[in-house]
């Protein structure tokens, strides 16, 4: 029960108004009111208990200023970076400047519109991952067996035909791959490599650290070659390293189709 009166000029005492005790504790009452209330509060255990609780809460809140700030989860930081990278479009700042000497600046982007486009991209990325996962689960590949004369009669799996390139097409040097980053963040579609272990072997063969977790993985068609694009953060805002491995990569054969940095230098 809260008594909205401030006590002075009316009844003061149990049941105490928490508002009055909070104002008294915070020192917002004038000196005359405070001088009259403190002796009554000090003589009442219930009122003192409320004052002590307020004091403890104030101390706890003050300690929060000294607590370390937890970093933003990498997943969300990567999505923000991807959205910023997708929104950055350079345009000439001075149309009258000589060609090749025009200063490049990023245009002002409506924040609400950017957020709508970002959310749409994230939604598309989730849809692509769902469709890809459903396709992988639905298709079973039956490998016939053959007997080789020198195999001792032991059945050996017949070599499988190379798979047709899947995923969106990009240039041989990775041209156009930057447009796929926003949709690939958070996606883990290993495409023709099928498993994370095979991708790790490709990464290690390329001299990269397989323990670094990519921000996104998705199949791509690199100038007609079946590949898997892997996205890494670089530590710089809105900048990513994208590496594409061929379907034949593995231990001792990195088969890197392209390796490039996108975003602001």
């Amino acid at each position: 029960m809260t008594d909205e009166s401030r006590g002075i000029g009316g009844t003061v005492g149990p049941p105490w108004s928490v508002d009055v005790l909070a104002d008294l504790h915070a020192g917002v009452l004038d000196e005359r009111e405070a001088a009259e209330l403190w002796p009554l509060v000090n003589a009442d255990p219930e009122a003192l208990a409320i004052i002590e609780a307020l004091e403890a809460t104030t101390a706890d809140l003050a300690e929060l200023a000294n607590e370390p700030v937890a970093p933003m989860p990498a997943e969300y930081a990567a999505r923000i970076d991807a959205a910023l990278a997708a929104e950055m479009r350079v345009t000439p700042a001075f149309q009258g400047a000589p060609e090749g000497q025009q200063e490049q600046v990023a245009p002002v982007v409506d924040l609400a519109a950017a957020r709508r486009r970002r959310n749409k991209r994230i939604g598309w990325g989730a849809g692509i991952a769902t469709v890809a996962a459903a396709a992988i689960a639905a298709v079973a590949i039956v490998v016939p067996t053959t007997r080789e004369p020198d195999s001792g009669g032991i059945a050996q799996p017949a070599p499988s035909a190379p798979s047709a390139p899947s995923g969106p097409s990009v240039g041989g040097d990775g041209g156009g791959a930057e447009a796929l980053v926003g949709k690939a963040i958070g996606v883990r579609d290993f495409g023709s490599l099928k498993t994370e272990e095979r991708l790790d072997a490709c990464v290690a063969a390329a001299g990269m650290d397989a323990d670094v977790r990519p921000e996104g993985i998705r199949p791509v068609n690199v100038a007609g070659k079946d590949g898997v694009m892997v996205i890494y953060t670089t530590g710089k805002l809105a900048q990513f390293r994208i590496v594409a491995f061929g379907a034949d990569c593995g231990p001792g054969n990195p088969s890197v189709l392209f390796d490039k940095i996108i975003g602001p230098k």
Side-chain angles (χ1 to χ4, degrees):
M1 178 177 177
T2 301
D3 178 9
E4 295 298 334
S5 68
R6 288 296 179 259
I8 303 305
T11 303
V12 177
W16 285 93
S17 165
V18 176
D19 290 341
V20 170
L21 294 176
D23 288 349
L24 179 64
H25 175 263
V28 299
L29 300 179
D30 61 40
E31 294 182 2
R32 181 182 63 82
E33 289 177 326
E36 292 182 18
L37 287 178
W38 273 119
L40 298 174
V41 169
N42 289 331
D44 188 324
E46 182 180 352
L48 278 179
I50 295 174
I51 291 292
E52 290 173 359
L54 291 169
E55 185 65 31
T57 300
T58 301
D60 289 344
L61 292 174
E63 284 297 321
L64 290 178
N66 300 322
E67 292 294 324
V69 178
M72 180 182 295
E75 176 185 357
Y76 300 113
R79 287 185 177 183
I80 292 173
D81 285 350
L84 291 174
E87 291 302 333
M88 294 183 69
R89 298 291 186 272
V90 293
T91 56
F94 303 101
Q95 299 294 338
E99 184 177 356
Q101 298 181 10
Q102 295 174 336
E103 182 181 350
Q104 303 293 310
V105 297
V108 177
V109 178
D110 178 74
L111 183 58
R115 284 174 175 168
R116 287 193 296 271
R117 288 195 291 272
R118 177 200 64 192
N119 292 336
K120 185 180 293 185
R121 290 189 185 100
I122 293 172
W124 287 342
I128 290 171
T130 302
V131 172
I136 292 172
V139 178
I141 301 176
V142 179
V143 180
T145 60
T146 60
R147 294 181 180 273
E148 297 292 340
D150 58 349
S151 64
I154 300 176
Q156 300 291 334
S160 57
S163 58
S166 61
S169 298
V170 299
D173 60 352
E178 57 271 12
L180 305 176
V181 171
K183 301 176 184 178
I185 293 297
V187 174
R188 297 184 67 79
D189 182 354
F190 298 97
S192 56
L193 296 182
K194 300 186 184 302
T195 66
E196 186 171 14
E197 288 72 19
R198 280 206 53 195
L199 175 60
D200 287 346
C202 300
V203 171
M208 300 164 58
D209 187 355
D211 291 332
V212 177
R213 180 180 174 85
E215 297 302 329
I217 305 164
R218 65 164 302 163
V220 288
N221 179 345
V222 184
K225 297 180 180 179
D226 191 20
V228 176
M229 184 177 76
V230 187
I231 306 168
Y232 298 95
T233 56
T234 64
K236 292 184 178 181
L237 181 64
Q239 186 184 85
F240 296 88
R241 180 184 182 184
I242 50 178
V243 185
F245 297 98
D248 60 340
C249 71
N253 177 30
S255 187
V256 175
L257 302 180
F258 66 79
D259 182 351
K260 62 185 298 187
I261 301 293
I262 64 169
K265 297 297 187 286

